[in-house]
Amino acid sequence: MKEQWKHDLRTRLQKHEVPAPELSWNEIGEKTGWKKAPKRTTRRLFYFSAAACALLLTGFFVVTQLLQKEKNLLLTDLPVKTNKPRQQVQAAALPVQDVGTLQGGEGNSDVFVGRKQKGTVQQHTDKGGRDILPALGTDETVISEADGTTSETALYAETQQVLTTEKPVEKSAVNVASQTASSPVIPGNGAGENRTGELFDKRTLKEEPLLAVSVYASGSMSATGGGGNSRMEMAFESRFSDPLTSVGLEAGGYKPMLEVPIKKVKHQQPLRLGMQVQWNITPQWGLATGLSYDRLVSETTFTGSESSVRQVQKLHFAGIPLQAVYTFYRTRHFRTYMSAGGRVAFPVGATLSTESNALLPGVSKHTENLHLTRPQWSMESAVGAQWLPFRKVGIYIQPGVVRQFNNHSGIETYYTAHPLGFNIDLGLHWQLGK
Amino acid sequence: MTPPDITTEETLVQQLCDRQEQAARLFYSLYAGELSAVAARYVGRGEALKDVMQNAMISVITRINTFSYRGKGSLKAWAGRIVANEALMWLRKTGKMHWVELTSNAEELPDTQEELLVNDVPAEVLQTFIEELPEGFRTVFNLYVFDDYSHKDIARMLGISEGTSASQLHRAKKALAVKIKNYINRHA
């Protein structure tokens, strides 16, 4: 080969390096007019802020989880505190501050439908002096405790107590039960006797773990219910598995199987709108955060033999994501990347619309505000592709997977039904700066 | 320094176009070693090398808009040309290029049979040998060998005749051959 030495020499020194001199970057900057890189202090401040945010979010999450666990533990040990339901149900004309429907069930502790009205609670009493719990879907459903578990326990315990000590059933009870169709009848003395001490003792609470039984008996069917369909199935099965309850209820004069309302929950696909800002720390790594809005709509129907209730629950969340973004391929007009991080979404509004077609007086359509306080935490990971037809503007598509954590609010949402889900983000991308 | 992948090079170009200091520093940390070797072959080391690299870096940033990405390695190759140009300008400006015309002396005629045994010498040593050549020799030698210019192109670039260019190359090659031979004899 002609001039082989030339080829060899080029090959030998092609990637040869020598120590590079230190440059005067200030002079280069002055002559080229570049954008100054963030000063070390600024960069340090950014890293510190990012770390502090991550720490705060993690801490907040851990604390809320611990508090919730502690609260749940305390609830299981509370002996008394639940004489209110009994008193309110028995009182003939008791002034009521908080009247509404209970939301949720399992672990529920802070959600109460806040339709406040002053008035009286009409007592349903048969001729024999029995207390009749309100019919399905009526406005008269009363549970004063925001803790659904405790109230249900109380009523269950009450039922047990009554069933073991009750006198033979009178005909009048059968008549009333048939008139109210789906209204369960809890026998009682009707004289406002306070038997709280013997009904809500610690032992009863601990010995009866199947508290869900009281769902259909408490008359809180207009509530959305914490466990959804599975909850109702539990209740249904327990009626057959507990011979005492079954016999007792049948002796009460109504048909237990037919009167269990069928509950159906339908969650609409969540809608999210958001804005995100990404800061590229290096050409490949970036940090993204922003603001998002989530809208969750769920529809619950309770269908009884002669009445039905339809509830539409609308929840609105404002979320703050924090994600790390890694760009693994980039050309002038195309970019692919991966992102992973978390999001905390705070409830900013919630309504519950109830519509009933029960053949009972006083049933109406109304909308109530739900007071939610617990944030919704989630972890997200996604892969995105970005197309930049113009230098500064582009579009992107970002399919991903999301894991929603249970916030124990007791509210049934799409997230509680589908804690692990997939989503697709579509969006516009603007590149700021030069 | 590990060579950057396509993603990094393209991103780097885009950020250099945006005149980002961070990108300039990254560019220098990635390619400074190899680009300095190119410059050192023309001007040697020390302050001269620093001056050339400083000016080359400014040229890279100010002229990056004229660069079109053509695959992996194209950025480094383009920057290498910039460095070579800056080195030539520095040599002109400092007046350090001296040309020795080819004489009629028979012993100085090109020996076409002579080959450089470059594979027997480490790259660092070869680099040093080239840097030790007189400015005129090594300038033509570098343009001819590493930048692949013809004598015609070199003559036009340096304002000399083709014969002068050829003679500079011949002398440079011969001087290098002597150095290599001595080195091999010493380390045999």
Side-chain angles (χ1 to χ4, degrees):
Chain A
M1 185 181 172
K2 191 185 173 186
E3 296 187 320
Q4 179 63 40
W5 65 271
K6 182 180 167 184
H7 177 263
D8 291 344
L9 193 56
R10 285 172 67 172
T11 309
R12 291 298 305 279
L13 295 181
Q14 192 175 22
K15 293 190 174 178
H16 182 65
E17 296 183 9
V18 300
E22 283 294 321
L23 301 185
S24 170
W25 291 103
N26 286 338
E27 184 191 341
I28 294 172
E30 286 170 11
K31 291 190 175 177
T32 57
W34 64 27
K35 298 171 195 168
K36 291 294 282 181
K39 286 182 182 175
R40 278 189 177 179
T41 49
T42 313
R43 194 174 297 176
R44 210 173 289 162
L45 186 66
F46 166 73
Y47 287 129
F48 180 76
S49 305
C53 283
L55 199 65
L56 276 174
L57 290 172
T58 310
F60 187 51
F61 175 69
V62 171
V63 167
T64 50
Q65 296 296 311
L66 286 175
L67 283 175
Q68 179 57 30
K69 271 187 182 176
E70 194 178 342
K71 208 168 187 179
N72 289 340
L73 283 172
L74 284 171
L75 285 172
T76 57
D77 288 338
L78 276 178
V80 186
K81 182 191 172 182
T82 51
N83 51 356
K84 287 180 186 174
R86 177 64 184 170
Q87 287 173 341
Q88 288 180 353
V89 169
Q90 288 184 344
L94 183 69
V96 176
Q97 291 291 335
D98 290 335
V99 179
T101 52
L102 182 70
Q103 286 288 309
E106 296 170 6
N108 176 30
S109 61
D110 70 340
V111 182
F112 185 80
V113 177
R115 181 170 59 86
K116 292 193 174 187
Q117 63 180 43
K118 285 211 172 191
T120 58
V121 177
Q122 184 183 353
Q123 182 193 13
H124 293 257
T125 311
D126 65 9
K127 290 177 182 175
R130 297 162 184 249
D131 296 337
I132 303 168
L133 291 181
L136 174 67
T138 66
D139 285 341
E140 298 161 1
T141 303
V142 177
I143 298 176
S144 63
E145 287 291 319
D147 184 347
T149 306
T150 311
S151 297
E152 290 163 6
T153 306
L155 288 165
Y156 174 69
E158 179 186 3
T159 307
Q160 293 288 76
Q161 173 74 17
V162 168
L163 289 174
T164 53
T165 58
E166 189 53 46
K167 298 178 288 185
V169 181
E170 296 177 10
K171 279 187 179 181
S172 56
V174 178
N175 294 336
V176 173
S178 60
Q179 284 169 12
T180 53
S182 61
S183 303
V185 178
I186 304 297
N189 61 9
E193 178 189 343
N194 189 348
R195 297 179 295 165
T196 307
E198 50 185 300
L199 291 176
F200 302 103
D201 63 3
K202 200 169 176 177
R203 187 187 59 193
T204 309
L205 290 168
K206 285 190 174 176
E207 285 175 355
E208 301 295 336
L210 289 174
L211 305 179
V213 174
S214 64
V215 170
Y216 77 91
S218 68
S220 61
M221 288 301 168
S222 60
T224 307
N229 291 327
S230 60
R231 170 94 180 241
M232 294 310 297
E233 284 162 14
M234 268 180 63
F236 190 81
E237 286 168 5
S238 65
R239 292 189 68 152
F240 293 101
S241 60
D242 186 346
L244 181 61
T245 310
S246 182
V247 169
L249 290 169
E250 280 171 4
Y254 61 95
K255 302 165 282 185
M257 281 181 64
L258 296 176
E259 298 310 318
V260 174
I262 299 168
K263 178 185 174 187
K264 286 183 181 174
V265 182
K266 186 181 174 185
H267 300 292
Q268 290 182 14
Q269 290 289 332
L271 172 71
R272 173 177 293 168
L273 300 172
M275 187 198 72
Q276 188 163 295
V277 180
Q278 183 177 325
W279 185 4
N280 292 319
I281 301 166
T282 70
Q284 288 179 316
W285 285 99
L287 207 58
T289 184
L291 195 63
S292 66
Y293 161 75
D294 286 19
R295 182 174 181 268
L296 303 178
V297 179
S298 302
E299 182 181 329
T300 308
T301 55
F302 299 92
T303 309
S305 59
E306 294 185 28
S307 64
S308 68
V309 174
R310 175 175 170 269
Q311 289 186 319
V312 178
Q313 172 186 276
K314 292 179 182 174
L315 307 181
H316 310 274
F317 287 91
I320 301 171
L322 184 64
Q323 296 177 330
V325 183
Y326 177 74
T327 301
F328 55 87
Y329 180 76
R330 180 170 194 162
T331 65
R332 191 163 289 181
H333 297 294
F334 189 70
R335 182 171 84 103
T336 51
Y337 57 93
M338 292 185 292
S339 68
R343 181 187 302 267
V344 56
F346 298 95
V348 292
T351 58
L352 180 71
S353 300
T354 306
E355 188 179 359
S356 172
N357 68 349
L359 303 173
L360 291 170
V363 176
S364 61
K365 179 180 177 180
H366 59 268
T367 302
E368 298 149 321
N369 292 323
L370 302 179
H371 300 290
L372 308 185
T373 55
R374 298 192 176 191
Q376 176 69 46
W377 292 84
S378 62
M379 296 290 285
E380 306 175 352
S381 182
V383 179
Q386 195 176 70
W387 180 51
L388 295 152
F390 308 105
R391 192 174 164 194
K392 302 283 184 188
V393 183
I395 56 174
Y396 71 89
I397 181 168
Q398 186 181 306
V401 60
V402 183
R403 175 69 169 87
Q404 300 285 349
F405 295 103
N406 188 357
N407 65 357
H408 301 284
S409 69
I411 293 284
E412 275 187 287
T413 66
Y414 184 90
Y415 294 152
T416 57
H418 307 281
L420 185 66
F422 298 93
N423 60 2
I424 295 181
D425 288 1
L426 297 170
L428 283 172
H429 167 89
W430 280 274
Q431 186 176 321
L432 302 176
K434 264 189 174 179
Chain B
M1 182 68 66
T2 309
D5 58 16
I6 293 172
T7 311
T8 310
E9 273 198 354
E10 283 233 73
T11 309
L12 205 52
V13 170
Q14 198 169 19
Q15 292 180 341
L16 283 171
C17 285
D18 292 341
R19 301 280 173 94
Q20 294 183 13
E21 180 182 358
Q22 187 187 9
R25 287 178 184 270
L26 179 62
F27 172 87
Y28 193 70
S29 68
L30 288 172
Y31 302 111
E34 291 178 47
L35 296 178
S36 295
V38 171
R41 285 199 290 267
Y42 280 95
V43 300
R45 304 194 192 187
E47 283 300 310
L49 178 62
K50 186 179 176 181
D51 286 349
V52 168
M53 290 304 292
Q54 177 85 11
N55 292 333
M57 200 60 214
I58 292 169
S59 291
V60 164
I61 295 167
T62 53
R63 294 161 66 182
I64 190 72
N65 289 324
T66 64
F67 169 72
S68 59
Y69 188 74
R70 290 173 185 169
K72 191 175 180 181
S74 60
L75 178 61
K76 191 183 82 177
W78 176 79
R81 294 273 173 126
I82 298 255
V83 169
N85 282 338
E86 288 297 331
L88 288 174
M89 284 171 66
W90 186 87
L91 287 169
R92 272 199 208 102
K93 199 161 59 180
T94 54
K96 288 195 173 180
M97 277 194 283
H98 303 290
W99 314 110
V100 180
E101 294 296 331
L102 190 65
T103 64
S104 58
N105 193 329
E107 65 179 17
E108 293 187 7
L109 288 174
D111 182 3
T112 53
Q113 301 301 316
E114 189 180 6
E115 288 293 332
L116 297 178
L117 303 171
V118 295
N119 290 326
D120 298 335
V121 184
E124 178 58 40
V125 176
L126 283 173
Q127 172 83 23
T128 308
F129 287 167
I130 294 169
E131 290 174 21
E132 287 171 355
L133 292 173
E135 283 87 354
F137 290 4
R138 73 185 180 208
T139 303
V140 173
F141 186 84
N142 280 322
L143 289 171
Y144 184 82
V145 175
F146 296 105
D147 293 323
D148 210 21
Y149 285 113
S150 65
H151 285 301
K152 191 178 175 181
D153 293 331
I154 294 170
R156 195 176 63 243
M157 287 168 66
L158 301 179
I160 58 176
S161 68
E162 287 185 46
T164 304
S165 174
S167 71
Q168 302 301 310
L169 176 69
H170 172 72
R171 285 167 182 267
K173 187 181 166 188
K174 198 170 180 179
L176 200 58
V178 172
K179 287 175 182 283
I180 290 171
K181 196 175 176 181
N182 291 339
Y183 178 86
I184 292 171
N185 289 336
R186 278 202 307 271
H187 295 85

